[in-house]
Amino acid sequence: MITGFSYLRATSLKEAVSGLSQGNARIHAGGTDLLGCLRDQVFSTEMVVSISGLRELKGIRETPEGHLRIGSLTTITEISESRIIRERYPALAQAAAEVASPQLRNQGTLGGNLCQKPRCWYYRGEFHCLRKGGDRCYAIAGENHYHCIFGGDRCYIVHPSDTAPALVAYKATVHIAGPAGIRKVLIDHFFVPPSKDVTKETILEQGEIVTEIILPPLPRGATSSYRKVRARQSWDFALAGVALALQMTGGHVTDARIVLSGAAPIPWRSVDAEKALIGNVLNPGSIKRAAAMSVNNAEPMVHNAYKIPLFRGMIEEELENLSHSQA
Ligand SMILES: Cc1cc2nc3c(=O)[nH]c(=O)nc-3n(C[C@H](O)[C@H](O)[C@H](O)COP(=O)(O)OP(=O)(O)OC[C@H]3O[C@@H](n4cnc5c(N)ncnc54)[C@H](O)[C@@H]3O)c2cc1C
Ligand code: SF4
């Protein structure tokens, strides 16, 4: 049951920020995650501020400098179908196409996808766990098949978003409006690991709204993809996923981003695997090494060690696919 709250349909960004600065007000974009959380009493609120009427937060456009600006209210469907994203940033289009079901992609927004709450079943259930301000993590001794193998520290969620790893791979910047004005943050610093604060998923403070995501222009020789493995063929969150963004120059990898989903409480950069590729030709040897390095420091829980060979195999396959497309 949803407990009562007041509702503000903001007509300007200023009005939205001002409404959100009060108490524990929550943002409503597409509502696909927020309403489930309120219904299941994951949290409560005294005020919901709808930003869905703010036209300035919608749409995709190229800036004169060649950056791509994606408004936070752009729907997941619009991202998966955008010609410019499919051509230039295919990992993002592929990730968006892998999100949930067509209905949820039509209603859900990019901002909401980045700021959605974790899917840990204890957190979504009646358990007052650490992330909700309680005193323990129920996943440690419980059902942890779908929990993390990297970056767990008191809390062992996996980050639920498919689009976030692609945006990290592309070195996106997040623009945030708040009571103090606009701030711009490299997406690598947007998500909060449990080692820093176990009750927060993003750096957003009360009253702050993600307004847009900026993708930098990609140099010639850039190649990228997103691959997701899930338990069911129909809609489901990632058991394991990987966003790859490689820069190839003269047959060599000169820059690499390998970002995992379904792996850690935040989109997880596999820095060791990136290092294994940079400076090398993409061939079976370097691919195998990088795939092995990607799970180097994994710390599985009792029920999720299956993720280690799953990630290794998936990354190897996906790098092979990219190397064939370069040939
Ligand atoms: C059945 C189901 C299956 C799903 N499967 C997947 C999946 O496979 N992959 C995947 O990536 N996602 C999946 N999702 C999540 C879905 O993609 C998100 O619910 C959706 O993207 C959220 O967008 P929204 O606009 O509806 O956000 P809302 O529900 O409106 O908001 C979600 C959260 O983000 C906050 N928020 C929203 N917009 C902003 C903003 N601009 N600035 C700051 N905070 C904001 C809200 O306050 C709220 O806490 C699934 C969801 C469901 C219900
Ligand atoms: S993994 Fe995190 S969200 Fe899940 S029960 Fe443990 S503390 Fe709570």
Side-chain angles (χ1 to χ4, degrees), residues 161-276:
S161 165
D162 283 306
T163 61
L167 293 172
V168 174
Y170 289 129
K171 305 178 187 171
T173 300
V174 182
H175 288 200
I176 300 164
I182 300 280
R183 59 178 175 136
K184 301 173 183 178
V185 182
L186 188 63
I187 196 160
D188 296 44
H189 308 305
F190 181 71
F191 301 103
V192 176
S195 56
K196 282 211 173 130
D197 186 340
V198 77
T199 62
K200 285 187 80 166
E201 293 82 38
T202 70
I203 58 164
L204 294 178
E205 300 292 348
Q206 188 67 39
E208 288 193 315
I209 303 172
V210 174
T211 56
E212 55 190 17
I213 317 298
I214 310 292
L215 291 170
L218 295 180
R220 282 171 70 89
T223 179
S224 54
S225 70
Y226 182 73
R227 167 96 177 267
K228 171 176 176 178
V229 175
R230 51 189 143 194
R232 302 181 294 181
Q233 272 311 305
S234 61
W235 63 263
D236 212 345
F237 291 88
L239 278 185
V242 61
L244 295 172
L246 305 186
Q247 176 64 38
M248 306 292 296
T249 312
H252 286 72
V253 180
T254 49
D255 194 15
R257 281 246 172 167
I258 300 180
V259 190
L260 310 183
S261 53
I266 58 173
W268 190 255
R269 264 186 76 194
S270 197
V271 178
D272 288 347
E274 293 171 0
K275 283 185 188 153

Side-chain angles (χ1 to χ4, degrees), residues 114-132:
L114 298 181
C115 300
Q116 61 177 299
K117 291 291 178 182
R119 287 280 154 181
C120 169
W121 39 41
Y122 297 106
Y123 176 80
R124 293 271 169 167
E126 289 166 4
F127 297 82
H128 191 60
C129 71
L130 267 179
R131 190 162 285 276
K132 286 175 169 166

Side-chain angles (χ1 to χ4, degrees), residues 67-195:
H67 293 72
L68 198 68
R69 170 212 173 274
I70 310 177
S72 65
L73 284 180
T74 307
T75 66
I76 306 291
T77 297
E78 286 166 330
I79 289 166
S80 68
E81 292 180 353
S82 155
R83 186 186 50 78
I84 193 163
I85 296 181
R86 288 163 76 122
E87 282 174 13
R88 292 199 203 157
Y89 305 97
L92 179 59
Q94 289 159 7
E98 294 280 359
V99 169
S101 61
Q103 293 90 336
L104 287 160
R105 292 196 290 275
N106 287 340
Q107 180 69 17
T109 65
L110 183 60
N113 194 255
L114 298 181
C115 300
Q116 61 177 299
K117 291 291 178 182
R119 287 280 154 181
C120 169
W121 39 41
Y122 297 106
Y123 176 80
R124 293 271 169 167
E126 289 166 4
F127 297 82
H128 191 60
C129 71
L130 267 179
R131 190 162 285 276
K132 286 175 169 166
D135 65 359
R136 79 187 67 165
C137 170
Y138 292 90
I140 294 173
E143 295 286 329
N144 49 43
H145 300 75
Y146 301 127
H147 287 73
C148 70
I149 57 169
F150 297 107
D153 183 330
R154 298 179 294 151
C155 168
Y156 297 85
I157 55 164
V158 291
H159 197 270
S161 165
D162 283 306
T163 61
L167 293 172
V168 174
Y170 289 129
K171 305 178 187 171
T173 300
V174 182
H175 288 200
I176 300 164
I182 300 280
R183 59 178 175 136
K184 301 173 183 178
V185 182
L186 188 63
I187 196 160
D188 296 44
H189 308 305
F190 181 71
F191 301 103
V192 176
S195 56

